[in-house]
Amino acid sequence: MRILGIETSCDETGIAIYDRERGIVADTLYSQVSVHERYGGVVPELASRDHIRKTLPLIETTLNQAGLKARDLDGIAYTAGPGLVGALLVGALLGRSLAYGLDIPAIGVHHMEGHLLAALLEPLKPTLPFLALLVSGGHTLLVEVAALGVYRIIGQSIDDAVGEAFDKTAKLLGLPYPGGPALAQLAERGNPTRFHFPRPMLLDRADLDFSFSGLKTHAMVTYKGLVAKGEDTESTRADIAAAFQAAAIDTLVAKSKRALAQTGLKQLVVAGGVSANQYLRRTLEKETEFETFFPRLKYCTDNGAMIAYAGYLRLQNGEHSELTVGVKPRWPLSELKSIQSNLG
Amino acid sequence: MILCLETSGRFSSVALSNGSHYSAETENFQAEHILSLIDTLLKEAGITGEALDALAVSVGPGRFTGLRVGIAVAQGLAFAWHKKVLAIDSLAILAQGVYRRYGAEKVRVAMDARREEVYRESFLWDGKIMVSQQDLSIMSIKEREIDSEEWVGAGSGFLEYPGLAKGFKTCYISAPDRTPYAEDMISLAIKAYQDRKAIEPARILPNYLREEVVS
């Protein structure tokens, strides 16, 4: 059984093919970063324009990579939400039409379910149940994964997503878009103890929610104060980046540990773009009370492989989408049905 | 046989070159029903996608999201069926409808492009189809007036910006005159097919006309 996965929910076009016997057999990605760079953020209309240009050519490339023809496919999975509506529509309609033309089933996949299950594509994978920390430019979530399709959000950001706070702080320090990774690089050269930034909502609240907008403001006030004193040097900026990163990541780690303690789970899966953060990886690797799993980097950020895999599980579960194609820019994870099938 | 798809306006519509056609009003401009319409059309005609000669799709100008919906569907189907695709000008489709309803042979189309601009193009009847006078452009309504002598006007631009209608004896602005329909693509698609204009599905892209989308 071979499933084509199509991901177009934001600023990356990802296409992959999952084979039940062999796993991911082909995987391609086109990133639009250079398109949005000059605007300092994703421009939805430009994202849609790039998706319609790239999706079908990438599908052709991916099939060629796998040495397959379209008629060798048994199903098509596309991201149906959450995400940018115009971007989602391109992948959803192309995928649904291709499936109709090939007379095979199609399924609309929840983007976050893709991220949650991406760790299962790895040879060293967690067993169910596990706790997932999803951290990206759009999300900061702690999710209890009780079983396939059974997700409970137990913690989330009440304002900015952690990746968004990284990007905005990076912009403040004059780093190029997308700033998050650049900020993390700068932080590696800084002294994280010169400035102490508050750990938001850690001590004053016992729950598992996050808040990063205050931290971003704290970085801004600190930086502007130093600029006013004529201390705007490369090393000062690196120290601010390091203090910001330490505060943000320490908070993620502390809340994840709190969630593990509350749920009694012993495995943590970290996914989303921020899971590439080296400080986060180093900190979690030191932990001995629980095991941490990171999908490989290309499956941490948006990709077609996770959509192909989640779609495979859903199709195998007997689900499929109708001819009337709908996308869901907002789509709570809790609306998903459980998946009865065994892990393939 | 050619399958025609039109999703650039408020209705999504489909037609086969044998003359059968369907349309449905789109919700939120998303054209959710287009595949169901295609399925009904093909089943009624008793033909499979593989038996088609080509597909035709309206590539604009028009609503950006709608154009991409139609093109994504045309690309997906054509790729699955190993067919080529014909790109059809949405304003020509509108002009074709004006000829069908009123017999008008000299039509200037102006479609509302918002921001006080219109997509505009002129068409002359050549005995078989409405032929573009190769003047498709996006025009500010402040820039100039559209020459009205001997021509009729048609399209949402004349409704939205009544100043444009100055000088025209007749302007067609009723609901059908503001929407391109797939049934009016048929003769345009047949002509384009005869002229060997069909191309690989991945090469079909929207004709937005407006490139600056960030204000």
Side-chain angles (χ1 to χ4, degrees), chain B residues 200-214:
Chain B
E200 292 298 329
R203 290 180 52 213
I204 292 281
L205 290 171
N207 181 17
Y208 300 107
L209 279 192
R210 179 179 279 150
E211 295 308 324
E212 194 51 59
V213 295
V214 184

Side-chain angles (χ1 to χ4, degrees), chain A residues 39 43 45-46 48-49 52-53 56-57 60 63 70 85 89-90 93-94 96-98 100-102 323-325, chain B residues 30 32-33 35-36 39 64-65 68-69 71-73 75-77 79-81 201-202 205 208 210-211 213-214:
Chain A
Y39 305 104
V43 181
E45 173 61 21
L46 293 182
S48 303
R49 288 185 176 199
I52 194 76
R53 272 196 293 267
L56 185 55
E60 297 186 83
L63 284 166
V85 61
L89 277 168
V90 171
L93 280 151
L94 218 164
R96 188 67 195 86
S97 304
L98 186 53
Y100 173 79
L102 294 168
L323 274 185
T324 303
V325 182
Chain B
Q30 292 188 8
E32 305 92 333
H33 305 295
L35 276 172
S36 310
D39 189 51
F64 299 158
T65 298
R68 284 188 289 265
V69 162
I71 288 170
V73 171
Q75 286 185 339
L77 296 177
F79 185 66
W81 292 332
L205 290 171
Y208 300 107
R210 179 179 279 150
E211 295 308 324
V213 295
V214 184

Side-chain angles (χ1 to χ4, degrees), chain A residues 133 135 140 161-163 165-166 169 183 197-200 202 210-212 215-216 240-256 274 277 279-280 283:
Chain A
L133 172 68
V135 276
T140 312
V162 61
F166 263 82
T169 305
L183 183 84
F197 282 23
R199 272 56 177 161
L202 200 54
F210 303 92
S211 163
F212 291 103
L215 188 58
K216 177 193 69 194
I240 288 175
F244 169 84
Q245 170 170 273
I249 301 293
D250 287 355
T251 307
L252 291 177
V253 172
K255 294 258 171 162
S256 298
V274 179
N277 186 281
Y279 179 83
L280 174 65
T283 309

Side-chain angles (χ1 to χ4, degrees), chain A residues 229-252:
Chain A
K229 284 195 277 176
E231 289 180 41
D232 182 17
T233 63
E234 170 79 11
S235 89
T236 294
R237 286 194 293 272
D239 293 345
I240 288 175
F244 169 84
Q245 170 170 273
I249 301 293
D250 287 355
T251 307
L252 291 177

